[in-house]
Amino acid sequence: MLPAVAVAIGPLLGVDRSGTAWLALAVAVAQQVVWATLGAIRAGASRRMAVAEGVVNLLLGLVIVAA
């Protein structure tokens, strides 16, 4: 839902089509990192493990975007 909102408000912020797509991808990756980190915390992971989960998901998201 949030990447769609980013696409909708991109033109209102003066972002061109290409920039809007990148904005949506950035929002999607950020959302992935947040959900993974919150899931790790909810599962009882230590702070270090929750941060590691976020970093791994950030790298995974960037690999997906690069592909």
Side-chain angles (χ1 to χ4, degrees):
M1 178 82 177
L2 291 179
V5 171
V7 169
I9 67 169
L12 298 175
L13 299 174
V15 180
D16 63 350
R17 283 187 184 190
S18 176
T20 301
W22 284 109
L23 177 63
L25 285 170
V27 168
V29 171
Q31 188 176 5
Q32 174 182 334
V33 170
V34 168
W35 281 113
T37 305
L38 290 176
I41 292 169
R42 177 72 186 230
S46 67
R47 181 173 286 184
R48 175 181 266 175
M49 289 299 293
V51 169
E53 184 76 26
V55 169
V56 166
N57 272 276
L58 174 62
L59 294 174
L60 177 64
L62 293 176
V63 166
I64 291 169
V65 169

